[in-house]
Amino acid sequence: MRTFVNSLRLVVAVVAVAAVVTDLQGALRDDFVFWDFFGYFTNQSNLLVAVVWTLTVVAAFGDRPTGRRLDLFRGAATVYIATTGLVYNTLLAEVGQPLGASWSNDVVHRWVPLIVVLDWVLFSDRSRLLFRDVWWFLVYPAVWLVVVVTRGATDGWVPYPFLDPASGYGAVALYCLGVAVFIGLMGLVVVALSRLRVVRVSERRAGGRARGRRAR
């Protein structure tokens, strides 16, 4: 089970990066500014998942426990990619590409969010997080929102229409508050689920140390 789960994670990480690269190539063909492409929360959250899951796989195949710090980043990545999936499929699906129109769009907006959430819910190889860790989950989205709104007010570029200051700062503030509240709630759920052990995934190094201590 341990090998299967981590092999699946590595495949998902590779596919997520491939999907982002595919979308980047399409954007550049349409004369999209390179750095603006990476201003999208979708692309950032998918790349973050790829990095965190790759580190998780490296730790697993190196027979090392992931440790609380990496598990905290993994929890944050789960919150962010879940936010990507929900916001896109509720607020942006009508202005985006329909299901099946682009494999890369489906991957970054639908399949990766779904798989990452299921992974966190089902598999036990993670630390039990603390509810105060939710504050750390809010730091990165807060910085992202400040940068996006500032750019919208200065050079006029925003990644998503609901963050466009042209629609009124009151509306933008409400959307930002909604995103922050959702991320906070998702953080609480992710922390609570970190205590759940549906499918046991062993960590051999930790077990080996425990057996060694008992032997002594």
Side-chain angles (χ1 to χ4, degrees), residues 101-116:
S102 166
W103 75 268
S104 57
N105 186 73
D106 289 347
V107 165
V108 299
H109 289 115
R110 297 182 174 97
W111 291 114
V112 171
L114 177 62
I115 293 171
V116 172

Side-chain angles (χ1 to χ4, degrees), residues 36-114:
D36 287 351
F37 176 83
F38 291 101
Y40 286 86
F41 195 82
T42 294
N43 299 325
Q44 294 181 17
S45 59
N46 273 270
L47 292 176
L48 180 61
V49 165
V51 170
V52 171
W53 271 23
T54 299
L55 293 174
T56 300
V57 170
V58 169
F61 286 125
D63 207 17
R64 300 189 305 272
T66 55
R68 186 179 180 280
R69 182 174 299 177
L70 180 55
D71 289 337
L72 183 60
F73 282 121
R74 184 176 153 205
T78 302
V79 171
Y80 304 151
I81 200 70
T83 302
T84 291
L86 184 69
V87 170
Y88 180 85
N89 289 288
T90 57
L91 298 178
L92 300 171
E94 292 185 0
V95 299
Q97 296 175 330
L99 181 64
S102 166
W103 75 268
S104 57
N105 186 73
D106 289 347
V107 165
V108 299
H109 289 115
R110 297 182 174 97
W111 291 114
V112 171
L114 177 62

Side-chain angles (χ1 to χ4, degrees), residues 130-141:
L130 305 175
F131 284 105
R132 65 172 179 265
D133 293 331
V134 173
W135 293 109
W136 289 109
F137 296 165
L138 293 171
V139 173
Y140 161 65

